[in-house]
Amino acid sequence: MEEKEIREAALKAIGDSKDLKSLEEVRISYLGKKGSVAALMARIKDLDPAERGAYGAKINGLRNEVEGAYNQKKTELEKEALEQKLKEEAIDLSLPGYEFRQGYRHPYHLIIDEVTAIFADLGFEVKEGRDVETEDYNFTYLNVPKDHPAREMQDTFYLEQGGLLLRTQTSAEQAHAMQEKFDKGPIKMICPGKTYRRDDDDPTHSHQFGQIEGLLIGKDISMADLKGTLELFVKRMFGEKRSIRFRSSYFPFTEPSVEVDVSCAKCGGKGCQMCKGTGYIEILGAGEVHPAVLRHGGYDPDVYSGFAFGVGIERVAMLRYGIDDIRRFYQNDVRFLKSF
Ligand code: PHE
């Protein structure tokens, strides 16, 4: 091919290149070491020395022209490629973001916090218990020996490992607290946590529920101290107008034992449907710590005495918020959970 044809073909090929890759191929075939322009230049050696100067200048002119066209096209294509890339990577700022949702505290935990705050004000320390217990802590150390019928009242889930069970009552923490107390001095503690029992699941019973245990050990601790403490708790929790009532009861680990009722919020104690005409609603069990329990904990019952109580967390929440069914606590119904 002659110089003129090569010029035309090269400029056309450059002009037709659609992307950098095909442009590069064009460059190699015309401007490369083995390209057409180099081939033309190679012919110089066959020429008369007198003609070489003019021929060389002509081919160099061709090379410069083709190179110029190539460089211009390359700049164009690079710009295009960059624009395309920017377009593809653009962030669409009009896309709506994710909604930020604030969670809600579960009423179960709201009550734990409130009860804990009230007793912390009175100087009670807060202990964390354990859900899996040994039979000893759940029963034996609480004065419920093996084969005692009281174990039947609190049947539970037993683990395959011998002697382990899901605790039926936070009272197990009483035994831990006493045994762990290195100087066998006074104890003032509460312990919130889950408990488990074989139970029918109905509006007021669940196989799993929360309790808050309270234990106070000291010298000359009487039922009057228990009553004063619980009265203060109830008034803080449910309002100044509420009063409490002790009914004698039985627990193996307290003597005397009581069940404690709070005056009905709805009728103020006159008797209505909510309190089934009695004017009171039961909220907890309590009593003076049994001497056998003190002894199991390493305390001398002739020197020390104390009181203990166990309050149901859901029970308190139901009274506090007017919840009709204990199962609502575990159903994860967002409409229910949102209302606190
Ligand atoms: N543990 C008892 C129950 O679960 C409640 C209780 C606690 C009673 C402490 C007396 C003292 O029913």
Side-chain angles (χ1 to χ4, degrees), residues 28-39:
I28 291 167
S29 80
Y30 290 96
L31 298 170
K33 267 188 220 147
K34 293 178 183 159
S36 324
V37 176

Side-chain angles (χ1 to χ4, degrees), residues 8 12 16 19 36 38 49 71 87 117-120 123 154 168 176 182 216 227 232 250 261 291 298-300:
E8 269 169 27
K12 182 169 189 309
D16 288 349
D19 52 40
S36 324
N71 285 334
K87 220 159 129 193
I118 293 170
F119 282 99
Q154 295 192 3
T168 61
H176 282 293
F182 63 96
L216 188 143
K227 193 163 191 182
L232 187 142
Y250 167 75
D261 302 336
Y299 281 80
D300 180 354

Side-chain angles (χ1 to χ4, degrees), residues 154 168-169 171 174 197 211 213-214 251 253-254 285-287 308-310:
Q154 295 192 3
T168 61
Q169 45 189 352
S171 300
Q174 289 186 33
R197 279 181 206 180
Q211 284 191 329
E213 194 74 12
F251 297 104
F253 33 90
T254 46
F309 59 88

Side-chain angles (χ1 to χ4, degrees), residues 10 13 61 83 112 122 178 186 203 215 221 264 283 295 326:
E83 271 165 14
I112 290 181
L122 297 176
M178 286 184 237
L215 175 68
I221 304 299
C264 178
I283 58 158
R295 245 179 260 120
I326 195 170

Side-chain angles (χ1 to χ4, degrees), residues 144-207:
V144 188
K146 216 171 173 55
D147 303 320
H148 192 283
R151 287 200 182 194
E152 188 118 341
M153 290 174 358
Q154 295 192 3
D155 203 1
T156 182
F157 303 93
Y158 286 82
L159 277 74
E160 278 172 7
Q161 291 96 320
L164 293 181
L165 46 79
L166 293 184
R167 70 173 170 196
T168 61
Q169 45 189 352
T170 46
S171 300
E173 261 342 282
Q174 289 186 33
H176 282 293
M178 286 184 237
Q179 289 183 9
E180 284 163 12
K181 187 73 181 169
F182 63 96
D183 63 356
K184 299 298 166 205
I187 295 177
K188 255 174 129 178
M189 72 92 180
I190 60 163
C191 174
K194 299 188 195 84
T195 54
Y196 309 82
R197 279 181 206 180
R198 190 214 65 76
D199 227 330
D200 297 324
D201 283 351
D202 65 33
T204 53
H205 294 92
S206 160
H207 62 276

Side-chain angles (χ1 to χ4, degrees), residues 228-243:
T229 304
L230 291 179
E231 201 158 56
L232 187 142
F233 160 65
V234 162
K235 285 184 190 295
R236 288 245 185 121
M237 195 73 204
F238 299 105
E240 281 300 319
K241 293 211 180 94
R242 314 302 282 280
S243 59

